[in-house]
Amino acid sequence: MVAKSNKVKELFTVKKIAIPLVIGIGVAFYFLRSGTDWAEFNKIHWGGRFFIGILVALLMMVLRDVAYMYRIRMLTDKQISWRNSFDVIMLWEFSSAVTPGAVGGAGVAVFFLNKEGLSVGKSTAMVMTTALLDELFYVFTVPLVILFIGTQNLFPIELQKEIFGIVLNVKGIFIVGYCFTLLLSLIIIYGIFINPNGFKNLLVKLFKWKLFRKWEHKVVKIGDDIITTSTELRNKSFSFWTKAFLATLFAWTARFWVVNFLILAFIPVSDHMLIYGRQLVMWIIMFISPTPGGTGIAEFAFKGFLAEFTPIGLAGLLAVLWRFLSYYPYLFIGAIVIPKWIKRVYS
């Protein structure tokens, strides 16, 4: 038991927490020192709107996590209690916070669920289902938001990034990211619900090529996981999928509306939907960030996309507050939950 416990602790070393903290402290210092006009800060009216806005922003974070807890309980047919689902979600968020956006905490989440008593196959199915639901939320939400606000004001800044030798601006990056998300969703749907065996065989054939052969055994495992997931999910009812998607909708909407209420705490907001739309674009930028949890990139993206909605000279301050509300708590909560969780699941 000691050996297994030590192996788990290796996943959550001090270094993993220290890296995003050091980057975050450096970025926060930069924004507070050179990106904040403290003369404007002194003009803030500390009235009821400020405290209500901050309180509701915190409430959005709580609703986000409760929605995730409800979703994981429902997906596992309530095999995990509310108390244990809290541990799973906090550890999952912690894993996401200490890894780059494109990596996320999904791989470790299979391990968490397995240690909560689910089989490896069912744990894999649950993690793949949550990934699919998250992707579908984005795929369906983006067109709806664009229908309301259009694209004229959706891309306010000129950022450039080189991808495969092609220089793209923000709009280009967003289109590529959205198309990738849509393609990934379609691949998962095909693999799980239409032809899991054929999809596994296709993957195995592709990775028999000399260029990819060293990953062949991993692809076989992925193919087996997809078949297992298909068996778990293909006979689920319409009610099951409706509840799962609504929980996903609540979780992600609450996550994005933290920013809306944070800005509202400082000044009146006339266009909440545009702020929401800008965040959908920001999410793609953060997703491709190489830093843990998008640390550093997220703050600069916030200032670039949302500065016009914030008090003049205070966009840097709000970017720091946003991250302290929505990101850093998971580093500390995870560090507290980890030893207790290890003790519980290995006892």
Side-chain angles (χ1 to χ4, degrees):
M1 185 181 81
V2 174
K4 289 182 178 180
S5 180
N6 289 336
K7 185 178 180 180
V8 177
K9 290 177 182 178
E10 289 175 4
L11 297 171
F12 309 102
T13 60
V14 173
K15 183 180 178 181
K16 286 184 178 291
I17 302 176
I19 290 175
L21 277 178
V22 170
I23 297 174
I25 290 171
V27 172
F29 180 78
Y30 169 80
F31 274 119
L32 295 178
R33 181 178 175 84
S34 59
T36 302
D37 186 342
W38 292 102
E40 292 296 325
F41 177 80
N42 293 328
K43 298 177 184 178
I44 295 175
H45 177 64
W46 306 100
R49 185 183 66 203
F50 174 82
F51 293 104
I52 291 174
I54 296 296
L55 182 63
V56 177
L58 287 169
L59 179 61
M60 288 296 105
M61 291 304 302
V62 174
L63 288 176
R64 165 194 169 181
D65 292 330
V66 170
Y68 279 143
M69 290 163 61
Y70 171 81
R71 184 175 72 171
I72 205 68
R73 269 178 52 78
M74 197 219 27
L75 292 178
T76 59
D77 299 318
K78 298 183 179 179
Q79 285 183 247
I80 301 180
S81 67
W82 280 104
R83 174 65 187 83
N84 292 352
S85 67
F86 172 81
D87 286 352
V88 170
I89 295 303
M90 291 302 107
L91 292 174
W92 197 331
E93 292 292 345
F94 174 86
S95 303
S96 298
V98 297
T99 54
V103 177
V108 189
V110 174
F111 175 78
F112 297 150
L113 292 170
N114 177 236
K115 287 304 175 185
E116 291 293 347
L118 275 66
S119 66
V120 174
K122 187 158 188 173
S123 299
T124 303
M126 295 307 98
V127 172
M128 292 188 71
T129 305
T130 60
L132 175 61
L133 289 167
D134 291 340
E135 303 293 345
L136 289 178
F137 163 81
Y138 196 79
V139 166
F140 287 125
T141 303
V142 167
L144 288 174
V145 171
I146 290 178
L147 186 65
F148 279 100
I149 65 176
T151 59
Q152 184 176 358
N153 298 315
L154 196 58
F155 310 101
I157 60 175
E158 288 298 325
L159 282 177
Q160 291 189 336
K161 187 173 182 68
E162 186 173 320
I163 300 179
F164 302 120
I166 303 173
V167 178
L168 299 173
N169 57 21
V170 172
K171 186 175 182 179
I173 295 172
F174 172 75
I175 292 173
V176 170
Y178 179 81
C179 290
F180 175 78
T181 303
L182 177 60
L183 178 62
L184 183 60
S185 300
L186 293 174
I187 290 173
I188 294 175
I189 289 171
Y190 177 80
I192 293 176
F193 299 104
I194 299 176
N195 189 6
N197 289 290
F199 186 66
K200 175 189 174 181
N201 292 335
L202 176 62
L203 286 176
V204 172
K205 287 180 181 178
L206 286 175
F207 279 81
K208 282 186 180 296
W209 294 358
K210 186 175 181 180
L211 182 63
F212 307 122
R213 195 169 295 163
K214 66 178 180 179
W215 296 295
E216 183 180 354
H217 67 286
K218 292 184 179 180
V219 168
V220 172
K221 176 65 170 60
I222 292 172
D224 291 337
D225 289 342
I226 289 172
I227 293 173
T228 302
T229 302
S230 178
T231 304
E232 287 279 347
L233 300 178
R234 292 176 82 172
N235 296 321
K236 294 294 185 181
S237 66
F238 178 78
S239 173
F240 170 90
W241 290 109
T242 300
K243 291 177 182 177
F245 187 76
L246 286 175
T248 304
L249 179 65
F250 271 100
W252 277 91
T253 301
R255 174 180 186 156
F256 286 135
W257 277 71
V258 170
V259 171
N260 290 65
F261 287 107
L262 180 60
I263 294 174
L264 187 63
F266 287 84
I267 57 173
V269 175
S270 59
D271 198 341
H272 281 286
M273 191 59 70
L274 181 55
I275 295 174
Y276 185 64
R278 294 274 181 91
Q279 290 183 77
L280 289 172
V281 181
M282 279 173 56
W283 183 82
I284 289 292
I285 306 299
M286 293 171 61
F287 181 75
I288 62 176
S289 166
T291 59
T295 309
I297 304 297
E299 289 85 347
F300 281 98
F302 182 99
K303 188 175 180 182
F305 278 91
L306 301 171
E308 66 186 83
F309 302 103
T310 65
I312 296 174
L314 297 183
L317 172 63
L318 265 68
V320 173
L321 286 176
W322 166 56
R323 293 294 277 175
F324 272 94
L325 282 175
S326 62
Y327 171 71
Y328 292 104
Y330 293 111
L331 291 177
F332 298 105
I333 294 173
I336 294 171
V337 169
I338 287 164
K340 295 180 180 179
W341 181 81
I342 291 173
K343 183 178 181 180
R344 174 170 64 81
V345 298
Y346 283 112
S347 62

